[in-house]
Amino acid sequence: MSYQLAIIGGGPAGYTAAEAAGKAGWSVVLFEKNSLGGVCLNEGCIPTKTLLYSAKVYDYARHASKYAVAVPEASFDLGKIIARKSKVVRKLVLGVKSKLAARNVTVVTGEARVEDAHTVVCNGERYSCDHLLLCTGSQTFVPPIPGLENVPYWTHRDALDNKVLPQSLAIVGGGVIGMEFASFFSSLGVQVTVIEMLDEILGGIDREIAALLRADYAKRGVKFLLRTKVTCFEQAEDGTNIWYEQAEGEGCVKAGKVLMSVGRRPVTEGFGLENLRLERTGRGQVKVDSHLQTSVPGVYACGDLNGVSLLAHTAVREAEVAVHHMLGVPDEMSYRAIPGVVYTNPEVASVGQSEEQLQATGTAYRSWKLPMAFSGRFVAENEGVNGICKVLVAEEDDTLLGVHLYGNPASELIVLAGMMIEDRRTLSDWKRYVFPHPTVGEIFREL
C-alpha cells in the first residue's frame, strides 16, 4: 500500500497534518496505537479543563453571595464530574474521526514501526510513503525516587479518573500540570501540598505572576514547599510519608495520596526512530529546521518529539507548516509568540519573553503594569479580587516583547497580545484598534 504521506501519531500534530494533506487531495495514512486525539484530547488538555470548569462553577456557587445571589448548600458529585469529562472526550474524539473520514484519511490502529524514510510496518502490513511525519508525542516522566514503587501514587492519568477524593494530596512538582490539579482538588475541599525543587512554582512563567498565583492559593489553604527535594517515599497506615530535604534540613509530610507531576519527556523509542539516523539535539530530541523537516529529506517531526515546545497549540501550527512545505506552499515556523496558559482559577497566561529572560540576555526593556480593575468589565464580574496586566516593551522603540496576565479570562485575552508580539507591534499600536466596551481586553488600550 502506497501513500503520499504517512503519519505516526494521532495527536494534535498528527490529525491536523492528516486533515490538511487530505484536504489538498493527498493520499494519507495515519497510525495511532491508542485513541485519536493523543494525550491532549484523551488525558491532557481537554479532560483537565473539563474538570477545572466544574470546580470553577462550584467555586462560583459557594461564593455566589458576593454577587447578591443565594445558593444554599452548594455541593458536587465527583462521579458525575468524571462521567461528564469522559463524555466530552468521547464527543471530541468522534469529531476528529469525522474530520479525517471527510478527507479520506486512512486510519490504522496499531503500533507502527519505521523501517526507513519511505516504509512503515504496522500489524504485519508494509506501507510505503513519499513523505513521513513523526508525531509520537510525550509521556509522563516519573523520577526514580526511593520507595516510590512501594506506594500507590497517581500520575495525571490516574487523577483524571479518580472518583473518590482523598482527604489530603501531595503534588510533587509545581509546574502547570501540578498547579492545575492543585486548583481542582483544593476547590473540592482536599488539603493540598505542592512540593517543588525550584524556588518558585511555574518555572518559565514570569516570576512576579507565578508568585501572585502562589500567594492566592496559599490564602486558600494550599501549602507550598519550595526549594524542596523529595528523597524518599514510605507507605504509612493511612497514606504516604514523603521525606524531603531543604536548606534548613530534612522533613516529612504525610498525605492520603501522592500525585507525581514533575514533567513530560518526548517519546523517542519503540517505533524504529533509530533506523532513520536522524540528527538529534543535545537533549536527544529530533532536530528540525524552520519547516519542521529533519536531517533526512522528506522526514518531518512535529510536536513534542522535536522538544521545542511541548504544547498542543504549537504542535498544530508546526503540522500546518510541515504540510505546507511538503506541498510547496511558502510558510515557516515562528516560536516568537507561543502563548502559555495555566487554567487555574484565576487563570495565568503569558506570551513572549519574561523579565527574567530579558535580564538574562541583557535586553533593555521597560515594564508596564496595570491592575485588572482598570477594566470595568473585570470589576463587574470579579467581586473582591484583582489581577494584573504586565507588559514588557523594548526600551528603544516600545516594541512589545512580552505580556503576562493574572486574572480571568486571561486565556482568551493572551491571543491578542500574541498577535501583536508576532507582528512586532508597539505599545501605541493598540490605540488604533476599537475594542468592544465593556470587555476585559480593553485594558490593553489603557497602557
Side-chain angles (χ1 to χ4, degrees):
M1 290 172 281
S2 180
Y3 293 86
Q4 289 170 287
L5 173 61
I7 303 169
I8 298 180
Y15 68 70
T16 297
E19 184 183 4
K23 184 178 181 180
W26 274 26
S27 57
V28 181
V29 59
L30 171 65
F31 303 95
E32 172 53 54
K33 64 180 180 179
N34 295 314
S35 299
L36 283 175
V39 169
C40 175
L41 179 48
N42 292 280
E43 56 187 68
C45 317
I46 298 302
T48 54
K49 278 53 182 181
T50 306
L51 298 187
L52 284 166
Y53 190 75
S54 290
K56 184 182 289 188
V57 171
Y58 180 56
D59 280 339
Y60 287 152
R62 288 191 300 128
H63 302 292
S65 60
K66 294 194 300 184
Y67 303 92
V69 175
V71 182
E73 299 183 7
S75 63
F76 63 89
D77 185 322
L78 182 58
K80 290 182 179 179
I81 290 175
I82 300 299
R84 178 176 177 271
K85 177 266 301 182
S86 299
K87 181 187 72 174
V88 169
V89 170
R90 286 195 299 271
K91 180 177 181 179
L92 294 177
V93 169
L94 288 174
V96 172
K97 290 181 179 179
S98 177
K99 284 183 177 181
L100 296 181
R103 300 303 179 189
N104 297 314
V105 174
T106 299
V107 177
V108 179
T109 302
E111 294 195 15
R113 184 171 181 81
V114 177
E115 283 195 347
D116 57 47
H118 299 287
T119 310
V120 176
V121 176
C122 186
N123 301 331
E125 298 286 342
R126 182 170 274 96
Y127 301 80
S128 63
C129 58
D130 298 328
H131 299 81
L132 176 62
L133 176 58
L134 307 174
C135 311
T136 53
S138 62
Q139 58 192 357
T140 300
F141 172 68
V142 179
I145 301 175
L148 182 59
E149 70 279 5
N150 299 320
V151 301
Y153 68 90
W154 284 345
T155 64
H156 75 281
R157 185 186 297 112
D158 304 309
L160 286 171
D161 289 325
N162 171 66
K163 296 179 182 179
V164 179
L165 287 180
Q167 288 189 341
S168 58
L169 174 67
I171 301 177
V172 181
V176 174
I177 297 173
M179 283 307 303
E180 288 185 348
F181 276 112
S183 176
F184 175 71
F185 283 105
S186 64
S187 288
L188 300 189
V190 176
Q191 174 58 60
V192 176
T193 300
V194 177
I195 306 172
E196 172 57 53
M197 284 189 65
L198 301 177
D199 60 355
E200 187 54 272
I201 61 170
L202 300 178
I205 295 290
D206 188 276
R207 286 177 63 88
E208 182 177 8
I209 301 297
L212 287 172
L213 180 69
R214 176 172 52 82
D216 195 347
Y217 272 81
K219 292 177 183 176
R220 304 183 198 183
V222 176
K223 298 179 181 178
F224 292 92
L225 296 175
L226 303 179
R227 303 183 187 88
T228 301
K229 178 182 179 181
V230 175
T231 57
C232 181
F233 293 94
E234 179 183 64
Q235 182 68 58
E237 184 176 341
D238 54 350
T240 300
N241 291 327
I242 303 108
W243 293 89
Y244 60 82
E245 290 180 350
Q246 295 176 321
E248 298 80 7
E250 297 182 349
C252 179
V253 61
K254 177 178 285 187
K257 185 62 68 173
V258 174
L259 170 60
M260 297 300 296
S261 180
V262 298
R264 300 184 63 79
R265 299 290 184 271
V267 175
T268 58
E269 298 179 355
F271 61 97
L273 182 63
E274 64 277 4
N275 295 330
L276 294 174
R277 301 181 183 277
L278 302 178
E279 185 178 354
R280 305 284 193 98
T281 66
R283 299 183 63 184
Q285 293 100 342
V286 174
K287 190 173 183 178
V288 294
D289 61 17
S290 60
H291 306 293
L292 286 307
Q293 187 167 217
T294 68
S295 56
V296 175
V299 178
Y300 298 74
C302 294
D304 298 352
L305 181 60
N306 64 47
V308 179
S309 170
L310 275 66
L311 295 169
H313 42 279
T314 304
V316 167
R317 175 60 183 143
E318 287 178 337
E320 293 170 344
V321 171
V323 171
H324 286 163
H325 189 252
M326 298 175 200
L327 296 171
V329 177
D331 201 356
E332 194 168 357
M333 186 64 198
S334 169
Y335 298 97
R336 177 178 170 82
I338 302 295
V341 179
V342 189
Y343 293 85
T344 45
N345 185 22
E347 296 174 344
V348 169
S350 296
V351 67
Q353 299 180 78
S354 65
E355 281 203 79
E356 292 72 38
Q357 290 171 325
L358 294 172
Q359 290 165 2
T361 57
T363 303
Y365 72 95
R366 290 185 296 125
S367 175
W368 295 81
K369 287 183 284 189
L370 280 180
M372 283 291 198
F374 270 64
S375 159
R377 173 77 176 272
F378 185 89
V379 174
E381 297 182 353
N382 293 272
E383 180 66 30
V385 299
N386 206 341
I388 188 173
C389 173
K390 180 176 181 179
V391 176
L392 308 174
V393 300
E395 189 171 61
E396 60 179 0
D397 59 5
D398 274 357
T399 299
L400 287 161
L401 301 175
V403 175
H404 309 278
L405 304 174
Y406 180 59
N408 298 328
S411 60
E412 299 293 341
L413 302 180
I414 201 65
V415 65
L416 301 175
M419 290 189 289
M420 297 286 282
I421 291 174
E422 180 64 36
D423 292 339
R424 302 180 186 276
R425 299 291 187 180
T426 66
L427 195 63
S428 60
D429 282 331
W430 259 319
K431 302 286 188 181
R432 298 190 296 105
Y433 301 110
V434 178
F435 286 70
H437 176 77
T439 55
V440 182
E442 287 179 288
I443 196 168
F444 290 134
R445 300 191 80 255
E446 297 291 334
L447 294 161

